[in-house]
Amino acid sequence: MRANLETVKSYLLDLQDRLCDGLAAEDGGAGFREESWQREAGGGGRSRVMEHGRVFEKGGVNFSHVHGDRLPPSATAARPQLAGRGFHAVGVSWVLHPENPHVPTSHGNVRFFIAEKEGETPVWWFGGGFDLTPYYPVHEDVVHWHRVARDACAPFGAEVYPRFKAWCDEYFYLKHREETRGVGGLFFDDFNEWPFDDCFAFQRAVGDAFLDAYLPIVRRRRDTPWSERERDFQLYRRGRYVEFNLVWDRGTLFGLQSGGRTESILMSMPPLARWEYGWTPEPGSPEAKLYEDYLRPRDWLSEKTGGGVSS
């Protein structure tokens, strides 16, 4: 199992490199700065952050490999039988916050866990996915996003995309707001129901699909003119992003509970956000359209939602 860990780790380090190369080329600015860090209880990571770019106001692509004698509570909440086991957790996570309100925010991660106990067979599992958070969504962009997600899943069975698409809708849901964070994508966790090689191949398919899903949207929207009104709305909706990450996100909680590097864990936060008491969008406005048509689960690839036609 340790050999498998090293194989996954090698892939993840390469994925971090490829994501940073693709995103930096699209941004065209100064690129990412890198910091390596060590965790006192075991392990460390390689954090890469971009700020004040030509497209991305803030972006981060982080690699970490942490290990210890006891899994944090967030990792055993769904599997209490693993409490007290030692662990290795290795993963790459990324978040992009563009400056232009017409370019969506996006997040993704892929990760691998091993839980160990002397005298017992190690337990392993994969997790990950990616999701899209637009402020002024365009239907064709959302369809493209989900089409790439579906195609990444297709070699593993026709049921995989609908299953993990639905899981994403359920996971990235702000219960206290009764709305989804965005338009979803893919999400899976505690995943080990296939042989290791098949699970690892699926993780690679998800990680490798991200740039194909996201960069065409960035290119289509990066030069769209925007106003102060649209910027204000983007900052308001970024507040929802902060609320989800601090209240509901298991990855943030795991990082903090495991004693990870706080700056790296919270790199997902936008550089600017705002809250306004009791705000509601003007009826019939583009802002209202986000709430009415996009912040709920939908079957984006069905004929009922218009296929690839922009709305």
Side-chain angles (χ1 to χ4, degrees):
M1 187 47 53
R2 290 297 178 89
N4 290 339
L5 174 65
E6 291 304 314
T7 299
V8 175
K9 182 175 178 178
S10 177
Y11 163 74
L12 292 172
L13 287 166
D14 177 67
L15 176 65
Q16 185 191 32
D17 289 341
R18 289 186 285 116
L19 289 172
C20 289
D21 289 346
L23 293 164
E26 184 65 33
D27 183 81
F32 291 86
R33 73 175 191 269
E34 178 179 303
E35 292 182 305
S36 296
W37 54 274
Q38 297 296 317
R39 175 176 172 268
E40 185 176 345
R46 188 171 74 177
S47 297
R48 293 178 179 169
V49 176
M50 175 193 301
E51 293 181 297
H52 311 300
R54 295 177 181 174
V55 174
F56 301 111
E57 190 172 10
K58 183 183 178 185
V61 184
N62 290 347
F63 166 83
S64 65
H65 175 197
V66 299
H67 52 86
D69 297 332
R70 186 178 297 270
L71 276 163
S74 59
T76 59
R79 307 174 77 173
Q81 70 274 19
L82 300 182
R85 286 189 175 226
F87 73 96
H88 283 261
V90 60
V92 170
S93 62
W94 59 94
V95 178
L96 290 312
H97 292 289
E99 182 179 20
N100 189 323
H102 294 280
V103 183
T105 286
S106 191
H107 152 266
N109 71 82
V110 283
R111 55 192 181 271
F112 177 64
F113 281 78
I114 300 176
E116 300 173 312
K117 186 176 182 179
E118 188 174 353
E120 297 188 18
T121 302
V123 177
W124 57 266
W125 66 94
F126 288 90
F130 49 67
D131 64 286
L132 192 70
T133 306
Y135 308 100
Y136 290 91
V138 178
H139 188 84
E140 67 178 293
D141 293 347
V142 180
V143 171
H144 161 79
W145 176 261
H146 280 275
R147 190 172 287 144
V148 174
R150 179 199 61 194
D151 292 349
C153 295
F156 303 91
E159 77 287 352
V160 175
Y161 165 74
R163 175 185 173 188
F164 293 149
K165 185 268 185 191
W167 199 345
C168 188
D169 290 334
E170 179 183 344
Y171 181 78
F172 291 105
Y173 185 77
L174 286 81
K175 300 178 182 66
H176 62 292
R177 298 288 190 178
E178 297 185 337
E179 64 189 36
T180 57
R181 186 168 81 173
V183 296
L186 299 172
F187 181 84
F188 61 101
D189 204 0
D190 302 312
F191 188 68
N192 62 4
E193 61 195 63
W194 303 336
F196 173 86
D197 288 346
D198 293 340
C199 290
F200 182 34
F202 177 66
Q203 184 196 62
R204 297 197 306 272
V206 172
D208 294 348
F210 176 76
L211 292 180
D212 291 337
Y214 187 52
L215 291 187
I217 300 172
V218 175
R219 290 169 190 147
R220 286 196 288 261
R221 309 303 162 198
R222 58 180 291 169
D223 296 322
T224 303
W226 52 275
S227 66
E228 184 177 349
R229 167 182 171 153
E230 291 161 322
R231 175 66 164 171
D232 284 346
F233 183 63
Q234 177 200 46
L235 299 186
Y236 177 75
R237 289 299 309 173
R238 280 180 177 178
R240 297 289 205 270
Y241 206 91
V242 173
E243 290 176 21
F244 180 86
N245 278 20
L246 294 182
V247 176
W248 300 110
D249 187 59
R250 285 177 61 184
T252 302
L253 191 59
F254 173 85
L256 296 174
Q257 289 179 348
S258 64
R261 182 173 183 261
T262 301
E263 285 297 308
S264 298
I265 297 164
L266 297 182
M267 70 85 187
S268 62
M269 297 302 174
L272 295 170
R274 73 183 187 93
W275 284 260
E276 184 174 335
Y277 182 80
W279 184 87
T280 56
E282 179 183 344
S285 67
E287 293 80 13
K289 188 172 181 64
L290 173 71
Y291 286 84
E292 293 165 2
D293 294 345
Y294 290 90
L295 298 185
R296 56 184 173 85
R298 286 175 59 177
D299 182 1
W300 298 103
L301 300 182
S302 75
E303 294 181 4
K304 291 182 293 183
T305 59
V309 179
S310 177
S311 61

